[in-house]
Amino acid sequence: MLIRKPSDIAPSEITPLQHYLDRRKFMMAGAAGLLMASDAFAALSFKKGTSVLAANDKPNSLRDITHYNNYYEFGSGKSDPSENAGVLKTHPWSIVVDGAVEKARTFDIDTLLRLPLEERIYRHRCVEGWSMVIPWVGFPLAALLKQMKLTAKARYVAFETLNRPSEMPGMAEGLLAWPYREGLRIDEAMHPLTLLAVGLYGNVLPNQNGAPIRLVVPWKYGFKSIKAIVRIHLTDTQPQTSWNLATPNEYGFYSNVNPTVDHPRWSQANERRIGEFLRRPTQMFNGYGSQVASLYQGMDLRKNF
Ligand SMILES: Nc1nc2c(c(=O)[nH]1)N[C@H]1C(S)=C(S)[C@@H](COP(=O)(O)O)O[C@H]1N2
Ligand SMILES: [Mo]
């Protein structure tokens, strides 16, 4: 996976006008309730990524990526998000960035979509033992954080999902303490692999995948990759996270993919790639160790699971 800095992308490679036309089409499709049909997703303009996935990693189908989901706000079944998330209004949308910053800011989603977008084809490993390969479109979280003046207290980043029970029928099941919350250490948040995704397969994000904007941290278990983000809070203390609050002995703050540290109720040594029959071995840091292992030098990864 080649990471290109926004400054490496020639203006001629980006076609904002087409992007805005498509965005308009998308909003109208949303208003007409057409967003469940995958061919109604509007195209984004982005810089094509170069993938260094293993030879046997090929992207999952759009069908699999959009119909086998975890998004508990819409129910706990794998098909609940694709069936229930269509009603969610994802425009207008804004993200508040506050806490340990010199001046809090509110970013409108349309402003964020004007940042240079890149394709990133990442492996995704759910803590439940299944995996996929997903061609995201987005921008590094660092590109957003670098627009803020962080204070010395900005040691962690806390994220919050939209809290709108009227459009999120799964919230009534009460499986987690809402809103869904996640967090990263500041160096993890600034890492160039850490992405804010606004699209997949070249089109805007389907609601069930976390529209209009979600985090993607490919070396961590999937639940760290929080969907439908409305708040990013800089803080000097390790943030509380929804899954850790629910079951602290099963879901730690770090949750780096690690085949040598089992979940208390199942092995993490291997995984089922959606669409495949035989399980395959799980890789340390989900195969991104050469890029991220240094973040955890000297840490006991069994203790800091
Ligand atoms: N707000 C929110 N974000 C969430 C979840 C959720 O239930 N709510 N599920 C997580 C889990 S467990 C996984 S595996 C991924 C799934 O992302 P996908 O459906 O796009 O594959 O989203 C993560 N982000
Ligand atoms: Mo997951």
Side-chain angles (χ1 to χ4, degrees), residues 188 219-221 224 253-258 284-285 292 296 299 301 304-305:
E188 298 175 324
W219 71 94
K220 293 180 177 283
Y221 290 120
K224 298 293 291 181
F253 176 77
Y254 284 95
S255 290
N256 293 315
V257 173
N258 189 337
M284 187 66 204
F285 296 115
V292 302
Y296 309 103
M299 268 178 72
L301 297 179
N304 296 287
F305 61 96

Side-chain angles (χ1 to χ4, degrees), residues 23-134:
R23 177 81 200 155
R24 228 187 113 64
K25 228 172 25 193
F26 164 67
M27 282 153 55
M28 291 179 335
L34 294 175
L35 289 180
M36 298 312 294
S38 56
D39 59 359
F41 300 147
L44 291 169
S45 299
F46 59 91
K47 180 64 216 140
K48 263 266 189 241
T50 306
S51 160
V52 291
L53 296 168
N56 62 349
D57 281 320
K58 74 171 191 345
N60 281 85
S61 68
L62 180 63
R63 172 87 203 170
D64 283 347
I65 294 169
T66 57
H67 289 76
Y68 189 91
N69 300 101
N70 276 334
Y71 198 168
Y72 275 36
E73 288 88 336
F74 294 100
S76 54
K78 293 288 179 280
S79 59
D80 288 342
S82 61
E83 284 165 21
N84 299 332
V87 298
L88 184 68
K89 280 197 218 53
T90 59
H91 201 273
W93 193 277
S94 56
I95 299 186
V96 174
V97 184
D98 65 358
V101 293
E102 279 183 13
K103 194 166 178 293
R105 278 180 71 179
T106 301
F107 290 89
D108 190 85
I109 187 67
D110 294 331
T111 309
L112 295 177
L113 285 165
R114 243 172 265 145
L115 290 169
L117 303 180
E118 309 164 46
E119 181 172 62
R120 299 278 186 93
I121 305 171
Y122 282 161
R123 285 178 292 273
H124 172 97
R125 171 60 158 84
C126 176
V127 73
E128 296 164 342
W130 55 268
S131 65
M132 289 203 206
V133 176
I134 306 181

